[in-house]
Amino acid sequence: MMNNKKSVFYVSLAFSLALISLGAFIPDKLEAFSNYSLGFIYNNLGWFILGAVFIFFSFCMYLGFSKFGHIRLGNDADRPEYNTATWVGMLFSASIGISLVFWGVAEPVSYYISPPVGTGYTEQAAKTAMQYVYLHWGVSAWACYALVGVSLAFFQFRKKLPSSLSSVFYPLIGDRIKGSIGKWIDVLVVLSIVIGIATSLGFGTLQVNTGMNYLWGMPISIWIQAAIIAIVTVIYIASTISGLQGAIKHLSNLNMLLAFALMGFILFAGPTQTILKVLFQGIGDYVQNFVSMSFRTEPYNDGAWIANWTLFYFGWWIAWAPLVGSFVARISKGRTIKEFMIGAVFIPVLGSFTWFAVMGGSAIHLIQNMGQKALAEAVKTDVTSAFFKFLDYFPASTFMCILAMVLVMVFFITSANSAVFVLGMVSENGNPNPTHTTKTIWGVVIAAIAIVLIITGGLSGLQSALVATAIPLSILMLIMCYSTYKGLNEEISLEKAEKKYRKKLKITAGKPILPATEKLPE
C-alpha cells in the first residue's frame, strides 16, 4: 500500500477525513477518549515529556556551541535567503503568533488567580505567574522547533535529501527512508500538522467572533464563525499559491509591524516602568529557577496544575514541532548551525517574553495595584474575550481592539500558509515546491475540520488528541537527536579528510580539488 508515489498523501488524507467524521458524528466520545488518553499520559508519562523537552534544549545548545556550530545548512558557498528580521518574522508567524494574542493576557492572569504554589491575588502570585509563563513560552518550546528545523535543514540542504521528516533518519536506516518506514513517519507528521492547525484556526475564529460581538454586538454564532473560516481559507490558499517569496514573506512582515504597533502602544500608554520591571524580574526568576521548574512533577499531590498547564504546553510544543520545524528548515538555507540556534531559540524567546511582560504584566498591574478585579473575573469567565476587555482600560480601545482582530486574522493566514506549504512538501515525498493542487486540497481539508469542530463542539477533544501524539513524536525526536549527531559527526570526518587532502596537495580552500570526473581517494 505504501509503495505508491502518492501513498503519503492518500493515507494521511484518509486519516484526516476519518477525524472529521469522528468530530462530526461522535464529538462527545472523541473528547472523552482524548481526555482519558491525556489523563493517562499525564499521570504515568509526565516525567518523560519533561525529560524529553530538557534533552531537546540541551542538544540544541550543544549543536550550536560545539564543533558543529560552523557547519552551514547548505553548501559552503550558500548564504541566507531571507534577512534576519524577515526570517524571525516568519518564525513567529508560522508558530506561536496567534497563540500570543489569545493567551497574552489570559494566561498570566490565570496563574496570578490560581498559582502553582502559594495563594492567588498576591504580589508573590504575580511574580510566580510571570515566571511560569516564561517557562511555558521560553527556550523549551523553541528548542522543540529548532531541533526538527536544524535536523531537516542539514539533511535537506547539506545532504540533498527530500524535504520530509523521514530524511532525518537517513544515517540510521539509509535508503529505507524511501520505503514504508519513512512514509509512515511522514503520515504521522502530516496528521499532527492537520490537527494542530485546524484546532488553532478554530480557537482563533472563536476569538475573532468574540471581538466582533464585544465591539459591534455581532452575535456569537457558528455560522458567523464558519464564514470567518471560509474567508480566511480563500485568502490563505491564494497567498500560499503565490509562494514563499510572495505573500507569506510580506504577510509575515506585516504581522511583525502590527504586533510591534500594538505592543508599543500598550508599553507607552500603560504602566511603562512596571512593565520593564516585570520583564527584568521575570527573566531573572526564570533563569534562576529554569532547571527546577523544568523537572517539577509534584509527586506528593495530584499534580493537577502541572498537568493542566506545563505538561499540556510541553506536549503542545512537541506536537507542533513537525510543522514549525519543517517550515523553519525550508526558510533557513545558508545559515550556520550556530546562527540558526541563536536566531531560532533566543531571539523569538526575547520577543515572547517582552509580549507577555507588556500584556500580562499590565493586566496583573491593573488587578493587583489598581484594584480592577473585574478584569480577573473576565479571564475566569471567558478567555476569548479577556484580551479585548483588557484593551478597554487604555485610550483608543476600539481602534486597538480592531488592530488586535486584524492581527489575529493575519496570524491565522500566515500559520495556515506555512502549514499548507509543509503539508504539500511532505505529502509529495519531500518536494520543496509542492503543486498548487495538493496545497489547495490540504487548505480545504483544514478549513473543513475547523468548521466541523466548531459546529459540533469537538475543538477541545481534538486539541487533547493532538497533545496525546506528543509521546510517539517525542520518541521520534529523541531518535532524531542521535541520527542528527551521527550525520554531523560524519560531516566533520569528511571535512577533516578534505583538509588533510588539500594540505597534502597544497590546494587553497575553495578551489576544486580534482576534475569533476575524478573522486577523492578513499
Side-chain angles (χ1 to χ4, degrees), residues 109-127:
V109 172
S110 295
Y111 298 172
Y112 165 74
I113 294 167
S114 178
V117 287
T119 311
Y121 293 97
T122 61
E123 186 187 341
Q124 185 57 45
K127 283 172 60 182

Side-chain angles (χ1 to χ4, degrees), residues 163 240-244 330 417-440 442:
S163 48
T240 306
I241 287 170
S242 78
L244 284 169
R330 176 66 181 78
N417 265 338
S418 49
V420 168
F421 199 90
V422 171
L423 286 168
M425 287 196 306
V426 178
S427 53
E428 289 188 6
N429 300 312
N431 176 8
N433 296 297
T435 62
H436 297 334
T437 306
T438 304
K439 289 188 287 188
T440 303
W442 281 122

